[in-house]
């Protein structure tokens, strides 16, 4: 099933956003956490690449590679070539500078709650959420909905035209993890009501 990932371009490196669009490529720093998240990304997954001053693109990932060529302007400052990279095709361009407002409205913290303020959101985007952070169903559907409200153009139409047909926001298709969470809740409720124990060995942790 198609997954949706978020990558944040910090505002102090906003020129990297333009370079990413020009080269149709994004990469992350060389560390174990970034490598682990990058490993989970697959060709044909969806990438939302955003910068709060410039907007966001929605792209279809077309390839993955490990390279050390110098591409992004910030390399001269950070001394990092961002080797864990993806190639992509842009399928939707959101050119408004209110993307941070949308993320604040739609993203949730590790506890499943809305961020208390923009500072908390920015801090999260500088951490694991901000580079190949996997979005949940309600998060990316919220982002798509807000974009459509602002532009009149539905990102899901563009995604479908790009050949991805299993990504929907009409509650007909839900991520496997969400389904398992619902199943777990139903079973736990049944257990407490009927005073029985159900084998959860096949469920996700």
């Amino acid at each position: 099933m198609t997954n949706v990932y978020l990558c944040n371009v910090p505002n102090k490196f906003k020129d990297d956003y333009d370079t990413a669009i020009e080269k149709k490529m994004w990469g992350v720093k060389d560390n174990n956490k970034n490598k682990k998240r990058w490993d989970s990304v697959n060709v044909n997954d969806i990438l939302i690449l955003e910068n709060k001053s410039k907007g966001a693109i929605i792209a279809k990932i077309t390839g993955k590679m490990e390279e050390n060529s110098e591409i992004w302007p910030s390399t001269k400052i950070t001394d990092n070539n961002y080797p864990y990279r993806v190639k992509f095709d842009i399928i939707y361009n959101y050119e408004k500078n209110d993307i941070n407002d949308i993320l604040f409205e739609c993203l949730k913290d590790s506890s499943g709650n809305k961020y208390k303020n923009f500072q908390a959101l920015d801090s999260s985007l500088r951490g694991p959420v901000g580079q190949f952070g996997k979005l949940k169903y309600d998060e990316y559907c919220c982002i798509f909905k807000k974009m459509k409200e602002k532009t009149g153009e539905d990102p899901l139409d563009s995604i479908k035209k790009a050949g991805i047909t299993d990504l929907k926001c009409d509650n007909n298709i839900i991520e496997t993890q969400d389904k398992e969470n619902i199943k777990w809740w139903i079973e736990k409720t049944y257990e407490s009501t009927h005073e029985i124990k159900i084998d959860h060995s096949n469920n996700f942790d």
Side-chain angles (χ1 to χ4, degrees):
M1 182 174 178
T2 304
N3 291 311
V4 180
Y5 294 90
L6 177 71
C7 285
N8 166 258
V9 184
N11 218 35
K12 64 180 179 179
F13 300 139
K14 59 186 177 182
D15 289 344
D16 286 2
Y17 181 81
D18 295 327
T19 301
I21 290 177
E22 177 188 351
K23 301 292 186 181
K24 296 183 179 180
M25 180 183 293
W26 185 246
V28 295
K29 289 183 177 180
D30 185 4
N31 62 52
N32 290 335
K33 289 183 178 179
N34 283 342
K35 175 64 162 57
K36 184 176 180 179
R37 289 192 297 273
W38 177 80
D39 281 338
S40 70
V41 177
N42 294 308
V43 171
N44 292 329
D45 280 339
I46 291 294
L47 171 67
I48 300 176
L49 181 69
E50 59 83 19
N51 169 263
K52 66 181 182 181
S53 294
K54 293 179 175 288
I57 59 167
I58 299 174
K60 178 181 177 180
I61 294 173
T62 59
K64 295 175 62 179
M65 68 285 294
E66 293 185 48
E67 293 181 356
N68 280 293
S69 56
E70 186 175 313
I71 293 179
W72 293 277
S74 68
T75 293
K76 294 180 174 61
I77 300 173
T78 63
D79 195 31
N80 198 299
N81 288 328
Y82 312 108
Y84 304 125
R85 303 176 180 181
V86 295
K87 289 284 290 180
F88 56 76
D89 287 334
I90 300 171
I91 56 181
Y92 188 92
N93 194 354
Y94 186 81
E95 298 180 287
K96 297 182 180 293
N97 63 359
D98 62 353
I99 185 62
N100 226 36
D101 295 335
I102 291 177
L103 297 182
F104 182 70
E105 182 71 23
C106 296
L107 297 185
K108 296 179 181 179
D109 62 20
S110 58
S111 299
N113 300 314
K114 292 185 65 173
Y115 288 97
K116 294 181 179 180
N117 49 50
F118 281 98
Q119 184 178 2
L121 172 64
D122 289 343
S123 177
S124 179
L125 291 176
R126 290 194 297 270
V129 174
Q131 297 302 330
F132 295 120
K134 184 179 176 181
L135 299 183
K136 295 180 180 179
Y137 172 84
D138 58 335
E139 291 178 314
Y140 66 73
C141 285
C142 176
I143 292 172
F144 295 162
K145 179 182 177 182
K146 297 296 182 183
M147 287 180 170
K148 180 181 178 181
E149 289 174 353
K150 297 285 187 176
T151 66
E153 298 178 359
D154 191 346
L156 285 170
D157 290 340
S158 299
I159 291 171
K160 186 175 180 180
K161 288 177 182 177
I164 297 173
T165 59
D166 66 340
L167 201 64
K168 300 181 180 180
C169 291
D170 57 3
N171 295 323
N172 287 333
I173 295 182
I174 304 176
E175 289 184 22
T176 301
Q177 183 66 56
D178 294 335
K179 288 181 179 179
E180 289 298 328
N181 288 339
I182 293 170
K183 179 183 175 184
W184 179 88
W185 181 83
I186 291 173
E187 290 180 347
K188 294 298 287 185
T189 302
Y190 188 88
E191 286 178 353
S192 62
T193 303
H194 295 80
E195 296 183 350
I196 62 171
K197 184 69 177 176
I198 296 175
D199 181 8
H200 296 279
S201 60
N202 292 323
N203 285 2
F204 286 90
D205 293 332

